[in-house]
Amino acid sequence: MINAVVFDLDGVIIDSEEVWEEVRRDYVASFGREFLPDTQDRMMGMSTGEWSTHLAEEVGVPRTPAEVADDVLGRMASKYRSDLPLIPGSVDSVRRIGERFPIALASSSARLLIDQVLATAGLSDAFQVTLSTEEVPRGKPHPDVYLAAAEKLGFAPETCAAVEDSSNGLRSAGAAGLAVVAVPHGVYPPAADALALASLVVSDLRELSVEAIDRLR
């Protein structure tokens, strides 16, 4: 029996992966460094501390991880305030599923960006729990953020469902023991091994019915 649903943010509610790539690619280029072909894929699901360290130490941006995070998050928040890339139907779908289940948000985005997105989208009151991987010991693909979300909702992980798009997100939810719903991103599709963890695959949230969620366990 499914008692609650935990949503990812980026790639599920907002189509932000291309925005993230554009902002971080331009940022890296401004220092004369190279954004490698696998850089974006490697950073998907990482916490703020993890991806800022990656850009500083592995890509070679000559700033501290904390400075990289501040720089990039400021650019992202500005983008979200002016032009939030909501996925069509996602807000209505979150509200619809939230009428049937307690819902949480478990995102790799920083708290600053989570709050900005929810405010701009009119979803600040929609979730009983919102968590950033900044607020747990390890980011995705580790299970920490999903375990914490289930605990804060008051349910065992195995009675919760997770809605995810990325390889690391699917792995995180699967490792935490949640029933996994995959919403594969068209531009950044998950790896086959990660997609295999899903009990249900849908093209977007409009296809995800409460009846389908009920049937997951």
Side-chain angles (χ1 to χ4, degrees), residues 2 6 10 46 53 77 87 101 146 151 165 191:
I2 297 298
V6 186
D10 296 272
M46 285 185 178
T53 298
I87 293 174
F101 299 98
Y146 278 104
E151 181 180 10
D165 69 302

Side-chain angles (χ1 to χ4, degrees), residues 20 24 39-61 63-66 68-70 72-73 107-110 132-145 168-169 172:
W20 273 108
R24 290 192 286 211
T39 298
Q40 179 67 11
D41 286 342
R42 291 182 64 184
M43 288 190 294
M44 288 175 70
M46 285 185 178
S47 68
T48 302
E50 290 166 339
W51 62 251
S52 61
T53 298
H54 175 77
L55 291 181
E57 297 182 358
E58 296 190 44
V59 177
V61 172
R63 302 271 280 167
T64 68
V68 169
D70 285 345
V72 173
L73 292 177
S107 175
S108 297
S109 279
S132 165
T133 52
E134 290 181 330
E135 298 158 354
V136 296
R138 301 173 297 177
K140 303 173 185 179
H142 298 289
D144 303 33
V145 73
N168 282 342
S172 174

Side-chain angles (χ1 to χ4, degrees), residues 71-101:
D71 294 344
V72 173
L73 292 177
R75 295 184 184 200
M76 288 295 298
S78 178
K79 288 263 190 185
Y80 286 169
R81 282 191 294 271
S82 62
D83 186 19
L84 186 65
L86 282 168
I87 293 174
S90 62
V91 170
D92 289 342
S93 296
V94 166
R95 292 285 187 188
R96 170 173 51 80
I97 293 168
E99 289 176 356
R100 168 65 177 81
F101 299 98

Side-chain angles (χ1 to χ4, degrees), residues 11-207:
V12 173
I13 296 172
I14 56 172
D15 193 8
S16 58
E17 297 301 349
E18 291 183 56
V19 181
W20 273 108
E21 180 168 357
E22 175 191 348
V23 166
R24 290 192 286 211
R25 184 182 292 276
D26 289 348
Y27 180 69
V28 167
S30 72
F31 292 98
R33 298 301 191 268
E34 184 180 2
F35 198 88
L36 300 173
D38 68 341
T39 298
Q40 179 67 11
D41 286 342
R42 291 182 64 184
M43 288 190 294
M44 288 175 70
M46 285 185 178
S47 68
T48 302
E50 290 166 339
W51 62 251
S52 61
T53 298
H54 175 77
L55 291 181
E57 297 182 358
E58 296 190 44
V59 177
V61 172
R63 302 271 280 167
T64 68
E67 289 170 336
V68 169
D70 285 345
D71 294 344
V72 173
L73 292 177
R75 295 184 184 200
M76 288 295 298
S78 178
K79 288 263 190 185
Y80 286 169
R81 282 191 294 271
S82 62
D83 186 19
L84 186 65
L86 282 168
I87 293 174
S90 62
V91 170
D92 289 342
S93 296
V94 166
R95 292 285 187 188
R96 170 173 51 80
I97 293 168
E99 289 176 356
R100 168 65 177 81
F101 299 98
I103 59 174
L105 189 74
S107 175
S108 297
S109 279
R111 170 57 60 184
L112 167 73
L113 297 186
I114 292 172
D115 292 346
Q116 182 64 62
V117 169
L118 296 184
T120 305
L123 288 174
S124 295
D125 64 339
F127 296 94
Q128 281 73 51
V129 171
T130 63
L131 277 171
S132 165
T133 52
E134 290 181 330
E135 298 158 354
V136 296
R138 301 173 297 177
K140 303 173 185 179
H142 298 289
D144 303 33
V145 73
Y146 278 104
L147 292 173
E151 181 180 10
K152 287 181 176 293
L153 285 169
F155 297 108
E158 59 268 20
T159 70
C160 299
V163 185
E164 269 285 0
D165 69 302
S166 70
S167 295
N168 282 342
L170 293 166
R171 291 172 183 138
S172 174
L178 282 72
V180 181
V181 177
V183 189
H185 193 282
V187 179
Y188 306 99
D193 69 291
L195 190 60
L197 298 170
S199 300
L200 176 65
V201 180
V202 297
S203 63
D204 64 45
L205 288 185
R206 291 172 294 191
E207 289 188 8

